[in-house]
Amino acid sequence: MKLYKPEVEAQRFWNPYTQAMPRADLDRLHVRKLQTVIEYAYARSPMYRKLLDRHKVRPEQIRTMDDFIKRVPFIDKREILDAQAVRPPFGEALAISEDFFHQRFATSGSTGAPLHIPLTYHSAELWGESWVYVYWAAGLRARHSFYFPFNWGIFAAFWSAYMGVRRLGATVVSGGGLDSKARLRQIDQYRPDVMLATPTYALYLGETAREIGMDLAKTSVSHVIVAGEPGGSIPATRQAIEDLWGAKCYELYGIAELGPTNPGCPLQGGVHLCEEWYHALVVDESGHTVPYGEVGEHIVTSYIQDGQPLIKYRTHDLVRWTDQPCGCGTTWLYYPGGVLGRTDHMIIVKGVNVYPSALEALLHRVAGLSEHYELHVDRDAANDFVTVKAEARSEIAEARYGDLGREAEAIFKSVVGVGIDVAVQKPGSLPRYELKAKRFFDHRPAAHRWQLGGRADA
Ligand SMILES: [Zn+2]
């Protein structure tokens, strides 16, 4: 017996009430939720009480969105790490007794100490539900089955994707504890509909499949859902994944500390802010909110983190936000192109802002280049400059590498408006990555990277 009803199955939105709510009503709802979460954090989290006291803000003073934007300070990872260090692992960032924990997570700590993330069952379920928005938008329902090619570690992302599948009522196939070849054999055997992966891993499996003579386009997988790094909203990368798997590719953009904040649009060109559970601002280097249509740092508030509340959290991700309809029918804020880069990966060449994801998208317009490339950024006396190393496709003769490089340089010049050197190399000459690719190499002095001065930080 099926647990869903056909009319529900055909419904366009997972939650028609908020996904189609007029902007003015959504904003009013946000003010109420923001007030609640600020009161909660001030009452229960010593870190937030100290932070707000230091900025001389009392929760009852936040009555409008303008109050929230102007008076509530940003918070950065460093401050949370400091608050956790008072009594590790959670210290003063904690807002609830550990008795209520459902699961503990942590970030990788690759750039310093790991940030600990406690989730109550309530939070874990709602993180999961945020994934359901992208599953539902992609046409996935309870009858489908999802393949998880992950080892089940301390990182939250795939666990929340798993909770989402539970919430949808669909089937899970775990590829934990297996290597890539064994996972491909498992896919052959269990015939899942959906593959969840980073874009890098979705493409990496293509190389593994070739080794064992398997054609991924002929597997049961009809949907690939990517997360963990940009790619799903970059047309050429998405196309490469779709061609490889013979499947549709959708994206979810999430943030380790905050969860799955932005499920992808069904039209695949970008992601929406999940305004059910999150509020966001996009700010410039001085901390001022940029108008819709412009790019800046993504600042997020969670409504669903009762263990460790995060309000106006600096994600260091660059996004373009817009209130213009994308065409899928939702009123939720839209971020065309998904994540455009990291704030510390922002490049300014002769006064022009250049985003790594934009360069990636342009690079893929050159038919003879593969998806493997690296961006190297350095700085002379006055300017950032960028050099791109890109691999040619295997069928391209070495004599044509020079032409391909000039073709890419001409595209950069005409679209971005700046000169960027492109060196074309042999297939297989750049390093391969399994989970996330390292493509951005910054050789600039630290002083020349993006810094958010931030009125509220000052
Ligand atoms: Zn949309």
Side-chain angles (χ1 to χ4, degrees), residues 33 181 288:
K33 290 187 175 188
K181 285 177 189 169
H288 293 101

Side-chain angles (χ1 to χ4, degrees), residues 345-358:
H345 292 179
M346 172 96 107
I347 314 159
I348 302 176
V349 186
K350 299 201 167 90
V352 177
N353 289 339
V354 179
Y355 309 107
S357 63

Side-chain angles (χ1 to χ4, degrees), residues 140-156:
L140 299 167
R141 300 295 184 261
R143 66 177 179 281
H144 291 108
S145 74
F146 287 66
Y147 190 78
F148 283 79
F150 307 113
N151 297 320
W152 296 85
I154 192 95
F155 309 118

Side-chain angles (χ1 to χ4, degrees), residues 265-266 272 326 328 330 334:
C265 174
H272 290 283
C326 62
C328 80
T330 183
Y334 182 53

Side-chain angles (χ1 to χ4, degrees), residues 142-206:
R143 66 177 179 281
H144 291 108
S145 74
F146 287 66
Y147 190 78
F148 283 79
F150 307 113
N151 297 320
W152 296 85
I154 192 95
F155 309 118
F158 304 127
W159 286 97
S160 67
Y162 165 81
M163 287 298 275
V165 177
R166 293 275 80 105
R167 182 78 179 90
L168 184 65
T171 307
V172 170
V173 183
S174 169
L178 299 176
D179 65 15
S180 296
K181 285 177 189 169
R183 284 172 178 157
L184 291 177
R185 284 193 288 273
Q186 213 182 23
I187 288 168
D188 208 31
Q189 185 177 22
Y190 289 117
R191 303 189 52 76
D193 303 293
V194 188
M195 160 69 71
L196 275 132
T198 58
T200 297
Y201 193 61
L203 291 167
Y204 177 88
L205 281 177

Side-chain angles (χ1 to χ4, degrees), residues 4 22-23 34 41 58 78 111 117 156 184 190 231 285 296 304 345 348 355 371 413 422 433:
Y4 55 86
R23 167 59 35 204
L34 289 169
R58 304 266 315 166
R78 182 72 254 158
T111 53
I117 305 158
L184 291 177
Y190 289 117
E285 264 187 286
I304 56 173
H345 292 179
I348 302 176
Y355 309 107
E371 70 267 20
K413 186 82 193 168
V422 181
Y433 302 89

Side-chain angles (χ1 to χ4, degrees), residues 147-385:
Y147 190 78
F148 283 79
F150 307 113
N151 297 320
W152 296 85
I154 192 95
F155 309 118
F158 304 127
W159 286 97
S160 67
Y162 165 81
M163 287 298 275
V165 177
R166 293 275 80 105
R167 182 78 179 90
L168 184 65
T171 307
V172 170
V173 183
S174 169
L178 299 176
D179 65 15
S180 296
K181 285 177 189 169
R183 284 172 178 157
L184 291 177
R185 284 193 288 273
Q186 213 182 23
I187 288 168
D188 208 31
Q189 185 177 22
Y190 289 117
R191 303 189 52 76
D193 303 293
V194 188
M195 160 69 71
L196 275 132
T198 58
T200 297
Y201 193 61
L203 291 167
Y204 177 88
L205 281 177
E207 301 201 356
T208 311
R210 267 191 294 278
E211 281 171 34
I212 60 171
M214 185 171 171
D215 180 359
L216 295 182
K218 292 193 175 137
T219 64
S220 57
V221 174
S222 56
H223 294 72
V224 178
I225 306 219
V226 293
E229 59 180 358
S233 296
I234 298 172
T237 308
R238 183 174 69 240
Q239 193 63 51
I241 293 168
E242 292 193 335
D243 291 347
L244 175 68
W245 286 90
K248 297 287 276 181
C249 174
Y250 298 88
E251 164 169 61
L252 180 136
Y253 153 47
I255 299 149
E257 304 87 320
L258 285 156
T261 53
N262 294 69
C265 174
L267 304 179
Q268 300 170 289
V271 297
H272 290 283
L273 177 70
C274 179
E275 296 200 44
E276 185 75 27
W277 310 135
Y278 300 96
H279 174 266
L281 295 168
V282 178
V283 305
D284 64 17
E285 264 187 286
S286 66
H288 293 101
T289 306
V290 302
Y292 288 133
E294 292 189 13
V295 176
E297 181 175 347
H298 196 205
I299 306 290
V300 180
T301 298
S302 169
Y303 300 144
I304 56 173
Q305 222 124 304
D306 45 6
Q308 185 169 270
L310 292 176
I311 299 165
K312 283 179 84 167
Y313 184 68
R314 294 192 49 194
T315 67
H316 296 267
D317 288 329
L318 288 171
V319 296
R320 183 188 305 281
W321 69 343
T322 173
D323 61 344
Q324 293 302 303
C326 62
C328 80
T330 183
T331 51
W332 284 0
L333 289 173
Y334 182 53
Y335 301 4
V339 176
L340 304 176
R342 297 280 297 164
T343 53
D344 46 4
H345 292 179
M346 172 96 107
I347 314 159
I348 302 176
V349 186
K350 299 201 167 90
V352 177
N353 289 339
V354 179
Y355 309 107
S357 63
L359 297 184
E360 172 170 345
L362 292 174
L363 208 53
H364 289 309
R365 287 198 196 170
V366 182
L369 297 179
S370 80
E371 70 267 20
H372 301 287
Y373 72 95
E374 288 180 354
L375 300 180
H376 291 263
V377 183
D378 211 331
R379 191 172 172 90
D380 60 20
N383 269 299
D384 291 347
F385 59 93

